[in-house]
Amino acid sequence: MVDVASIRPLAAVLVSFLAAGAIVASYRYPNVRDGWSVIAALAKFGIVASMLPGVMDGRIYVWSLGTFVPGVEFALRADPLGMFFALLASFLWIFTAFYATGYMRGLDEPNQTRFFAAFAMSLSTALGIAFAQNLVTIFVFYELLSIATYPLVAHDEDAEARIAGRKYLAYTFFGGGVFVLAGTVLVFQMAGTVDFAAGGIPALAEAASADPWFARLAFGLLVAGFGVKAALMPIHSWLADAMVAPTPVSGLLHAVAVVKSGAFGIARVILDVYGPDVVADLGVHIPLAIVAAFTLTAASIIALRKDHLKRRLAYSTTAQLSYIVLGLSMLHPYAILGGLFHIPAHAFGKLTLFFCAGAIHVETHTDYISEMAGIGKRMPFTMAAFTVGAAGMAGIPLIAGFVSKYYMLIGGLGAGGIGVIGAEGATMSPLMGTIFSGSLILSGLLNIAYFWPIVYTAYFESENRHDAKPLLEFPMGGKPESYGVTVGRLTDGGERIEDPEHENGYAVDRFPSDHAAEDHEPDEHDEHDDHTDHGGGPPAEGWERRTPWTESTWLMLAPIAVIATGAVVLGVVPGYAVFFELAGYIVEEVTGVVVP
């Protein structure tokens, strides 16, 4: 690898920062204001993509402001792992910018200028995390990301949004940031440097062999700090509460920037701070893998009980992020490749799901799965795209999620010395390898269990008849009256609450998101004939049958189509996708193993 001085990493970070200023200055002209978001997204992606050929040829683009603290530069560095995250975030922002415009205008949301400015700032800090040269620089941008995204989480400015915003800051800024800083200080104390190096910091390897417990403490602090944004249990609850934010924010939180920055930070620690060999020698990969396996299983079970669509997707994200962490922590080349590739696989699939949830909310004001019976005929294209995204999350073949989980499963068996593929790279006992591989399979089944009822409700139920859902009984979601039971409402714990105001009781939770039905005040926009004038669920006369090109606006449907298509392309021809090639290049650089 050859370092090349270049201003392009800085330009990639600053372009959306400058766009935020232009967005604020154009607040009187909505079309111009929203146009700045699209222009900045295109420019950012263009700058990042321009560095890709050089990075694949062994060049690293470096920009430095000079010494930040004694012995540490404030520098940006476009290396293969940084390019992996930056390319994904900048590409997806293009379509999120279009989608956010359609969404915010579709609901006539207030404070749109602040929203788009904060959105741009968030992508600026996300690119800073991607291109950070060392732990100090990544810490600075990690904290700035929490600050930039706070106005997005608290956008609605009601009591619930403010509480969610404060919780988000408490977990990610004050909690996660403090842990990252503490771990950074310990690494500097041991190694005398915090600069990333493929395969691990050489001086840290020597220090870890001399004082392994001190090295384990630093590793634990760093992983805990980044694990907050990656929503590892038990530091995950901020993520579901943040669903009060508008749906484009949910897409940003879950697919593009925030949670991916946590997973990316853990990847940096394992691959470029400690290195797989040192992590294995210290034995810290087993506890991390256990936490990840527990999180992906428990979060999937919790998702079964969520009737609110976005909250079910939130717990799905908690589970899916743990796939990434589990793949990395198994330290096997196949598993690392699968974990890295699951970053874009999850991003494309989950962004599709959130885009679909937002389109459903804008067009029908429906947020609850139990109110979506027959909605497939009102939103045919949206629900078809939702099915594609859900299949990817469940690991169904021909969708990106299958490819990443396949490599993780092979890597998990190989890490335990099981089978003939990669068993020579065993990093744990056969029992642990079997357990972790089994958790991948179990979670995949649970994914089917909590996504299939949504698809079934949309396509195979009618508005006036709610059938018992296959696979799941009513405490896990849906209306219970079709089971011949007393109608009421169930709490998350399964306790029944008599609710005379609701003849048709709902299972589980009914937490509000975006604008809950009871909080929605009709305005002139609601009278537009493209929107259903009711509080959620089918109107009295049933869903109006629409065609795919009339169910919503192109600003929302086009991004859904592109992102869903991307999820399929990554699953059908992964070898021709730049993300898969980059992931393989990173694995070869870190482990010296070429994964076919």
Side-chain angles (χ1 to χ4, degrees):
M1 305 296 287
V2 179
D3 287 357
V4 178
S6 175
I7 199 173
R8 279 184 282 181
L10 176 64
V13 172
L14 289 183
V15 64
S16 50
F17 178 81
L18 297 176
I23 289 169
V24 173
S26 306
Y27 73 97
R28 294 180 182 273
Y29 310 98
N31 290 335
V32 176
R33 177 198 65 201
D34 298 347
W36 282 119
S37 292
V38 176
I39 292 171
L42 291 170
K44 183 182 286 288
F45 177 70
I47 295 169
V48 172
S50 72
M51 293 184 282
L52 181 61
V55 170
M56 296 300 293
D57 285 338
R59 292 191 291 273
I60 298 177
Y61 297 95
V62 179
W63 174 88
S64 176
L65 183 64
T67 301
F68 183 60
V69 296
V72 179
E73 284 187 294
F74 186 80
L76 301 175
R77 180 174 182 264
D79 63 359
L81 184 55
M83 279 295 299
F84 190 83
F85 183 34
L87 193 68
L88 176 68
S90 59
F91 179 73
L92 293 181
W93 187 35
I94 298 172
F95 306 100
T96 305
F98 282 104
Y99 179 88
T101 300
Y103 181 93
M104 300 301 282
R105 292 188 180 190
L107 290 175
D108 195 21
E109 286 275 1
N111 303 313
Q112 292 190 30
T113 298
R114 183 188 68 192
F115 173 90
F116 284 106
F119 221 100
M121 289 292 294
S122 300
L123 267 295
S124 185
T125 55
L127 267 289
I129 291 172
F131 289 147
Q133 177 173 286
N134 51 59
L135 283 171
V136 172
T137 306
I138 201 173
F139 163 75
V140 172
F141 284 108
Y142 191 72
E143 293 291 73
L144 289 176
L145 178 60
S146 297
I147 296 172
T149 49
Y150 169 77
L152 299 174
V153 175
H155 176 80
D156 283 349
E157 297 183 352
D158 56 17
E160 187 178 15
R162 288 194 295 270
I163 291 172
R166 288 195 293 267
K167 186 174 184 178
Y168 172 68
L169 279 183
Y171 272 68
T172 62
F173 184 82
F174 296 105
V178 169
F179 284 135
V180 171
L181 180 59
T184 300
V185 171
L186 294 184
V187 169
F188 186 79
Q189 180 71 20
M190 288 187 294
T193 181
V194 288
D195 285 351
F196 300 132
I201 302 171
L204 183 60
E206 298 176 8
S209 63
D211 193 347
W213 285 106
F214 201 65
R216 291 186 183 104
L217 175 61
F219 181 88
L221 288 170
L222 288 171
V223 167
F226 289 118
V228 172
K229 277 196 173 77
L232 290 176
M233 288 183 172
I235 45 180
H236 69 287
S237 64
W238 66 268
L239 189 57
D241 291 345
M243 290 303 95
V244 299
T247 301
V249 178
S250 300
L252 173 75
L253 288 171
H254 289 256
V256 182
V258 178
V259 295
K260 288 298 190 303
S261 71
F264 174 79
I266 293 175
R268 278 292 195 197
V269 171
I270 293 176
L271 303 179
D272 292 345
V273 176
Y274 280 77
D277 291 339
V278 175
V279 171
D281 291 341
L282 293 174
V284 290
H285 62 303
I286 299 296
L288 179 58
I290 291 173
V291 171
F294 172 79
T295 300
L296 66 89
T297 304
S300 298
I301 293 172
I302 295 173
L304 289 169
R305 295 185 57 81
K306 297 302 172 184
D307 186 38
H308 193 286
L309 179 58
K310 281 177 61 178
R311 289 182 72 89
R312 184 171 292 196
L313 295 179
Y315 281 100
S316 170
T317 295
T318 301
Q320 294 291 329
L321 287 171
S322 293
Y323 279 102
I324 300 169
V325 178
L326 180 59
L328 293 168
S329 61
M330 288 189 289
L331 304 182
H332 191 279
Y334 281 83
I336 294 173
L337 176 64
L340 289 174
F341 190 65
H342 198 64
I343 294 177
H346 171 259
F348 277 85
K350 188 53 63 70
L351 194 58
T352 298
L353 294 173
F354 272 108
F355 278 3
C356 292
I360 292 169
H361 176 78
V362 169
E363 297 299 330
T364 71
H365 304 304
T366 301
D367 296 320
Y368 298 95
I369 299 164
S370 54
E371 295 177 338
M372 294 181 183
I375 202 172
K377 61 185 180 183
R378 171 62 178 83
M379 308 285 291
F381 176 78
T382 298
M383 290 311 303
F386 187 97
T387 303
V388 171
M393 295 300 94
I396 303 299
L398 303 183
I399 313 295
F402 169 77
V403 178
S404 58
K405 294 179 181 181
Y406 170 80
Y407 275 95
M408 279 187 276
L409 183 60
I410 296 298
L413 294 173
I418 303 170
V420 296
I421 301 179
E424 67 277 3
T427 58
M428 58 185 66
S429 68
L431 175 61
M432 298 307 296
T434 302
I435 291 174
F436 295 141
S437 299
S439 68
L440 292 170
I441 296 173
L442 174 61
S443 181
L445 296 174
L446 290 172
N447 272 263
I448 295 173
Y450 63 72
F451 276 124
W452 169 243
I454 303 173
V455 177
Y456 178 84
T457 296
Y459 287 114
F460 302 109
E461 288 191 336
S462 61
E463 300 91 323
N464 57 3
R465 181 181 176 84
H466 294 270
D467 301 325
K469 295 176 177 56
L471 299 181
L472 298 179
E473 293 296 331
F474 69 85
M476 299 304 183
K479 292 185 177 182
E481 65 268 19
S482 62
Y483 298 87
V485 301
T486 303
V487 174
R489 293 175 64 191
L490 296 177
T491 66
D492 280 351
E495 179 183 356
R496 182 170 300 284
I497 301 175
E498 297 299 328
D499 190 353
E501 296 182 3
H502 295 78
E503 293 182 3
N504 295 331
Y506 290 91
V508 204
D509 63 323
R510 285 182 58 84
F511 294 103
S513 175
D514 296 320
H515 296 289
E518 56 267 26
D519 295 332
H520 182 73
E521 295 181 4
D523 55 30
E524 60 182 9
H525 174 78
D526 292 326
E527 297 176 3
H528 194 284
D529 56 9
D530 280 344
H531 298 274
T532 307
D533 188 15
H534 68 288
E541 63 276 13
W543 297 114
E544 176 187 359
R545 187 175 293 277
R546 294 287 186 95
T547 59
W549 47 88
T550 62
E551 65 183 72
S552 187
T553 65
W554 73 269
L555 281 171
M556 301 182 75
L557 292 179
I560 291 173
V562 173
I563 303 303
T565 301
V568 175
V569 170
L570 288 176
V572 174
V573 286
Y576 293 94
V578 66
F579 294 109
F580 190 85
E581 186 179 0
L582 256 178
Y585 185 63
I586 294 166
V587 171
E588 182 180 359
E589 185 184 33
V590 171
T591 67
V593 177
V594 178
V595 179

